[in-house]
Amino acid sequence: MLTSRARAAGIAAILALATAACGAAPGTQQTTEASQGGANAATATSAADFGGLDKLVEAAKKEGALHVIALPPDWANYGEIIEKFQAKYGIKIESETPDASSADEINAVKTRKGQDRAPDVLDLGQSFALSGAAEGLFAPYKVQTFDKIPAGQKEPTGLWVNDYGGYVSIGCDAKKIATCPASFQDLLKPEYKGKVAMNGNPTKAGSAFAGVYAAALANGGSFDDIQPGIDFFKKLKDAGNYNPVETTPATIEKGETQISIDWDYNNAAYAPQMADKGIDWQVNIPSDGKYFQMYAQAINKDAPHPAAARLWQEYLYSAEGQNLFLKGFARPVLLPAMTSEGTADQALADKLPKVDGEPTFPTTEQVDAAKAKLASGWDAAISG
């Protein structure tokens, strides 16, 4: 069954699960002896602290499990990544609440501290990676390929590291929509009445946050000013074009979300899947609002399986893991380095949606300011 990382599942559900698990035995995060040399996995900042990658693998296998949330199988190819990791290392991945949001992930770290069901690792929208690091929730860790990752795509000590990303795009059911929109301004046209949806709530979900940022850039805003993006969606709502239904593969198949603002890797991945359902799902990078962003990996500093958490990171940032992201139409952070080294799967890279120019990125301060502006203005703009 197809799933989607709407990243906006109810926080109440997470809290309920956490409360139910209050009697769980404490995790091993503070006591795991990671290697024969006596290294503590919970404080290890690199594979070298274990005595090398083989020792890290040994320690992770002893733990035997990795707990994750918010990783839908069809988001950036996570289904296959999970399968390949389990097969390679014999470590069971316990995947819970795949459609949870980045905000839910952060909440789970806080509410499940000391429990075996706390998430070991996190896959977060950029703004949530920054805020989580500022709150002291993550453990510093540098994967073996850390030095190949551009400086702007990682926290210097490895509290968070970008792993894959994409451009905001507009997906469209071309069998139901006569002319698919190619820009944000197109979305205001009367023929799209009640049809323009997003993948989540921008105050909780990284994909929707990026959609508002991209709309800001398309309407005279900047990385310093997301307000024009909020204003655009209010205008879209006032015109009757905004569809509050959260996009999933199921809503696309049912015709409930015929146009969707989402990452290009999600929309691109839907195309072959929907073709089997008789749906012609087309993808456009909006000509007036090109916005690229990456998701970040982080390790819960109180991870119940700290060695497995670190091995998961090593796998994701290996050539094998990065090419698996690429297979899901996501743009891996190490693609430039791997292309130079000849380890990137070029056939997969050639399938990525084409975009002119090089992406630029907001600063930490700009993201924080945009997040604050959304938190105070989104609900009033959409529900007011």
Side-chain angles (χ1 to χ4, degrees), residues 167 223 290-292 336 355-361:
Y167 285 87
F223 289 151
K290 293 184 176 67
Y291 179 78
F292 179 88
V355 185
D356 293 330
E358 292 297 321
T360 56
F361 302 91

Side-chain angles (χ1 to χ4, degrees), residues 72-87 93 312 315 320 323-325 327-328 348:
D74 293 301
W75 177 287
N77 201 30
Y78 263 121
E80 185 173 0
I81 291 171
I82 288 172
E83 290 176 3
K84 292 288 178 65
F85 179 85
Q86 291 183 134
I93 292 184
W312 173 251
Y315 183 71
E320 180 178 348
N323 275 320
L324 285 171
F325 280 131
K327 190 174 180 181
L348 294 175

Side-chain angles (χ1 to χ4, degrees), residues 4-8 75 168-171 184 187 195-203 205-215 229-230 232-234 236 241-248 251-252 256-263 266-267 270 281 374 378 382:
S4 171
R5 188 183 191 181
R7 307 310 295 271
W75 177 287
V168 169
S169 68
I170 303 172
F184 279 96
L187 295 175
K195 299 185 184 301
V196 184
M198 280 203 297
N199 187 353
N201 181 315
T203 66
S207 55
F209 173 85
V212 180
Y213 230 152
I230 300 174
F232 171 82
F233 277 94
K234 184 179 189 309
L236 199 69
N241 289 17
Y242 182 65
N243 177 2
V245 176
E246 194 171 282
T247 304
T248 69
T251 63
I252 292 173
E256 296 173 350
T257 52
Q258 297 175 18
I259 297 172
S260 179
I261 301 169
D262 201 348
W263 296 118
N266 283 338
N267 277 324
Y270 291 155
W281 192 253
L374 264 175
W378 177 256
I382 296 303

Side-chain angles (χ1 to χ4, degrees), residues 154-180:
K154 60 190 177 186
E155 193 279 330
T157 67
L159 287 174
W160 58 262
V161 183
N162 287 345
D163 50 353
Y164 65 89
Y167 285 87
V168 169
S169 68
I170 303 172
C172 168
D173 184 345
K175 289 192 175 180
K176 291 186 171 69
I177 304 295
T179 303
C180 285

Side-chain angles (χ1 to χ4, degrees), residues 27-50:
T28 59
Q29 61 267 30
Q30 300 301 328
T31 59
T32 299
E33 294 301 312
S35 73
Q36 294 177 351
N40 188 333
T43 59
T45 59
S46 70
D49 288 347
F50 293 86

Side-chain angles (χ1 to χ4, degrees), residues 257-340:
T257 52
Q258 297 175 18
I259 297 172
S260 179
I261 301 169
D262 201 348
W263 296 118
D264 62 343
Y265 51 84
N266 283 338
N267 277 324
Y270 291 155
Q273 296 166 358
M274 292 300 156
D276 294 337
K277 311 291 184 180
I279 297 171
D280 181 13
W281 192 253
Q282 296 187 5
V283 187
N284 286 313
I285 308 296
S287 58
D288 53 358
K290 293 184 176 67
Y291 179 78
F292 179 88
Q293 193 52 269
M294 288 194 153
Y295 274 77
Q297 283 290 323
I299 297 172
N300 180 358
K301 75 172 183 180
D302 297 309
H305 310 101
R310 286 153 175 78
L311 183 59
W312 173 251
Q313 303 298 299
E314 294 288 357
Y315 183 71
L316 293 184
Y317 294 97
S318 69
E320 180 178 348
Q322 293 280 287
N323 275 320
L324 285 171
F325 280 131
L326 190 56
K327 190 174 180 181
F329 297 95
R331 301 166 197 265
V333 69
L334 285 167
L335 183 57
M338 291 168 58
T339 300
S340 297

Side-chain angles (χ1 to χ4, degrees), residues 26-251:
T28 59
Q29 61 267 30
Q30 300 301 328
T31 59
T32 299
E33 294 301 312
S35 73
Q36 294 177 351
N40 188 333
T43 59
T45 59
S46 70
D49 288 347
F50 293 86
L53 186 61
D54 289 344
K55 289 294 185 181
L56 170 56
V57 171
E58 181 181 315
K61 285 184 174 181
K62 285 180 181 178
E63 292 175 350
L66 179 77
H67 191 69
V68 304
I69 65 172
L71 297 185
D74 293 301
W75 177 287
N77 201 30
Y78 263 121
E80 185 173 0
I81 291 171
I82 288 172
E83 290 176 3
K84 292 288 178 65
F85 179 85
Q86 291 183 134
K88 187 180 184 81
Y89 298 112
I91 296 170
K92 174 64 176 177
I93 292 184
E94 302 160 347
S95 181
E96 179 191 335
T97 322
D99 286 329
S101 67
S102 292
D104 291 339
E105 292 185 78
I106 294 293
N107 190 62
V109 168
K110 295 176 179 178
T111 59
R112 299 183 184 186
K113 184 176 180 179
Q115 299 176 22
D116 284 338
R117 295 179 61 257
D120 289 300
V121 291
L122 303 161
D123 178 275
L124 299 160
Q126 192 69 59
S127 63
F128 293 93
L130 296 172
S131 62
E135 291 184 70
L137 301 179
F138 309 149
Y141 186 78
K142 295 183 179 183
V143 293
Q144 291 185 313
T145 53
F146 189 82
D147 290 344
K148 297 179 183 180
I149 298 168
Q153 304 300 325
K154 60 190 177 186
E155 193 279 330
T157 67
L159 287 174
W160 58 262
V161 183
N162 287 345
D163 50 353
Y164 65 89
Y167 285 87
V168 169
S169 68
I170 303 172
C172 168
D173 184 345
K175 289 192 175 180
K176 291 186 171 69
I177 304 295
T179 303
C180 285
S183 69
F184 279 96
Q185 290 308 306
D186 283 349
L187 295 175
L188 293 168
K189 293 179 178 178
E191 58 261 40
Y192 302 136
K193 191 174 185 66
K195 299 185 184 301
V196 184
M198 280 203 297
N199 187 353
N201 181 315
T203 66
K204 299 179 180 180
S207 55
F209 173 85
V212 180
Y213 230 152
L217 298 178
N219 287 276
S222 67
F223 289 151
D224 288 313
D225 184 15
I226 198 173
Q227 185 62 48
I230 300 174
D231 296 341
F232 171 82
F233 277 94
K234 184 179 189 309
K235 186 184 296 185
L236 199 69
K237 176 181 177 292
D238 291 344
N241 289 17
Y242 182 65
N243 177 2
V245 176
E246 194 171 282
T247 304
T248 69
T251 63

